[in-house]
Amino acid sequence: MVAAFTHEGPARDLVHELKYRGALGYARVAAAAIADRIPHLPLVPVPRVVSRKLRYGVDPARELAAVISAITGAPVLRLLAAPLHAPRRAGGDHRRQTVRFRLVGAPPPQVILVDDVVTTGGTLLAAATSVGPDRVVMAVAANSARKPGV
C-alpha cells in the first residue's frame, strides 16, 4: 500500500477536514505525494456511502482519484457502487460489518483502489473483494494508520 502520510497529528486533522468539510486542498497535497509512487493503471475510487456523501457533500476517494488522474493521466473508473446507507465505522466500533460494494462494470485486469484513509483495512478489503482480489495490484490511501497488529 502506498500512503501519503501516517494517520496521526496534522495529517489526521486534514483527513477529517476533507471527509467532513470538503477541504479539497488536502486531496491535492496527498495526491502529489502519491502520484509518482504508483504504477500507471486505472484508478478505482472506493465510493462513500450515499447518505454520507449527501450529508457532507464530498466523496473523498473520488476527489483524491481525480487529482491523481490529473497528475498522472491514469483513467478513473467508477466500478464500485456503495449502498445508500451503512453503519458508521470511522471513529466508532470497527467490529461492525464493513460496507458491501456492488460491482457496476467489468474490471480491467489490474486496478489501483483509491481511498482517503485506512485504519483497519476492512473497507479496502471489501472493495478488493468486489473488484476481484487478483485484479487489485495496490491499494492507495491518503493516510495509513500504523497500529500494532494491523
Side-chain angles (χ1 to χ4, degrees):
M1 177 184 319
V2 175
F5 305 102
T6 301
H7 189 238
E8 60 190 19
R12 182 179 174 150
D13 295 341
L14 288 170
V15 166
H16 189 270
E17 291 297 311
L18 172 62
K19 288 176 80 92
Y20 304 113
R21 292 189 177 82
L24 301 182
Y26 178 70
R28 290 188 290 273
V29 171
I34 292 169
D36 66 344
R37 298 169 40 208
I38 59 174
H40 187 77
L41 293 169
L43 305 166
V44 176
V46 177
R48 191 172 209 179
V49 173
V50 175
S51 61
R52 280 188 283 287
K53 182 179 178 190
L54 292 172
R55 180 176 181 182
Y56 298 110
V58 67
D59 187 332
R62 287 191 199 273
E63 297 295 338
L64 183 59
V67 180
I68 294 170
S69 175
I71 294 169
T72 65
V76 176
L77 305 178
R78 294 186 179 212
L79 289 179
L80 296 172
L84 292 177
H85 184 72
R88 184 173 179 260
R89 291 175 43 100
D93 184 355
H94 291 289
R95 293 173 294 175
R96 293 180 187 153
Q97 185 175 357
T98 58
V99 173
R100 293 188 184 195
F101 298 100
R102 183 174 44 89
L103 194 61
V104 294
Q110 296 182 322
V111 299
I112 297 174
L113 290 178
V114 179
D115 204 359
D116 59 336
V117 64
V118 175
T119 51
T120 67
T123 302
L124 279 175
L125 180 59
T129 299
S130 296
V131 173
D134 56 326
R135 295 178 185 274
V136 177
V137 174
M138 182 180 308
V140 177
N143 292 334
S144 179
R146 293 185 183 173
K147 295 181 182 178
V150 175

